[in-house]
Amino acid sequence: MPIAGKGMLLTSMDIDAAHEAEFNRWYDREHLEERVAIDGFLEARRYVAHDGKPKYLSLYSTTDFEVHDSAAYRKALASQTDWSKANIARFKNMIRSVARITISRGVGRGAALGIIRLRPPEGGADRLRIALGELLDPAKQDGIISMHLIEGDPMLSRPLTEDAATSSPGAGDWFVLIDGTDVGAVAANATRLTDNAALKPLVIASGVYRLLFDLAKSDLPRG
């Protein structure tokens, strides 16, 4: 499978221009490395929007879904640095999804990523998964490296804030991820899916992002 592991954390957010330089410095110099160092985390990728909202997107792959409810992950969340706390407090339009990787086809990762957010109909998850399984075939699409489906868990995707108990209809949303060689190929393939008559009523949002930084567990300093 092109995505390592079976679980994924997806986060996306906006940041005010006044704090953007520090936000990017923090992500590149501290945050990704801290997260990838957690037991069970395998790799992380962060992106900036070519055409999409929120502006920034990160994907964290884990050995399995249960890592996101593990003691190691809870300990990391409870021991954030002051730098982390300051930057997290500035997030706007935050999206957070703890998800299972249920479809992952192709080989490798692309420099561009398409993302389509879907809301499964009540009682229709199995049918939707089968339908997407027939559509997510990178071998048939020029410029597409790999295609994936991640399915958000409604409980673990709740915000890590004081309003975490608030019900969110989007906490169980699904995301189609399209890895490609350039934004044009990815955008065309995303449109193929969002214009699909069966999928169109389920689409919440879509966008195209450019890769900024990729970090794997094997990249971390030894010591």
Side-chain angles (χ1 to χ4, degrees), residues 3 19 30 40 43-44 53 72-73 75 95-96 98 106 116 119 124 134 141 154 157 159 173 190 202:
I3 294 183
H19 302 294
E30 178 178 280
E43 63 179 10
K53 295 180 180 180
Y73 184 51
K75 180 181 178 180
I95 297 170
R96 179 178 184 272
V98 175
I116 302 169
R119 189 156 298 165
E134 295 173 354
Q141 310 298 326
S157 298
D173 285 353
L202 309 178

Side-chain angles (χ1 to χ4, degrees), residues 14-169:
D14 289 316
I15 195 82
D16 284 342
H19 302 294
E20 199 163 10
E22 183 181 358
F23 165 85
N24 283 301
R25 191 178 304 116
W26 165 71
Y27 242 109
D28 292 345
R29 302 302 180 194
E30 178 178 280
H31 189 60
L32 283 197
E33 185 171 332
E34 280 191 344
R35 287 295 176 262
V36 174
I38 298 171
D39 288 346
F41 276 66
L42 299 173
E43 63 179 10
R45 290 182 277 167
R46 66 178 300 244
Y47 298 84
V48 65
H50 169 78
D51 180 15
K53 295 180 180 180
K55 183 175 181 178
Y56 291 98
L57 168 71
S58 296
L59 304 176
Y60 307 84
S61 301
T62 58
T63 53
D64 51 53
F65 171 78
E66 287 73 22
V67 167
H68 302 286
D69 196 30
S70 67
Y73 184 51
R74 290 195 299 270
K75 180 181 178 180
L77 293 177
S79 55
Q80 306 268 21
T81 67
D82 289 341
W83 200 16
S84 289
K85 291 175 183 177
N87 278 282
I88 291 170
R90 296 171 183 147
F91 289 177
K92 293 187 174 182
N93 305 316
M94 177 71 175
I95 297 170
R96 179 178 184 272
S97 179
V98 175
R100 293 175 173 85
I101 302 170
T102 55
I103 298 174
S104 189
R105 293 177 179 155
V107 178
R109 302 153 188 81
L113 182 80
I115 181 168
I116 302 169
R117 184 175 185 172
L118 302 164
R119 189 156 298 165
E122 187 173 352
D126 290 340
R127 291 192 300 274
L128 178 58
R129 191 179 300 110
I130 291 170
L132 289 170
E134 295 173 354
L135 294 170
L136 302 184
D137 185 356
K140 297 179 180 179
Q141 310 298 326
D142 288 344
I144 303 303
I145 301 300
S146 54
M147 304 180 79
H148 326 276
L149 174 65
I150 65 171
E151 303 180 14
D153 179 87
M155 293 299 293
L156 291 183
S157 298
R158 292 177 300 177
L160 299 174
T161 61
E162 63 276 2
D163 59 348
T166 303
S167 176
S168 171

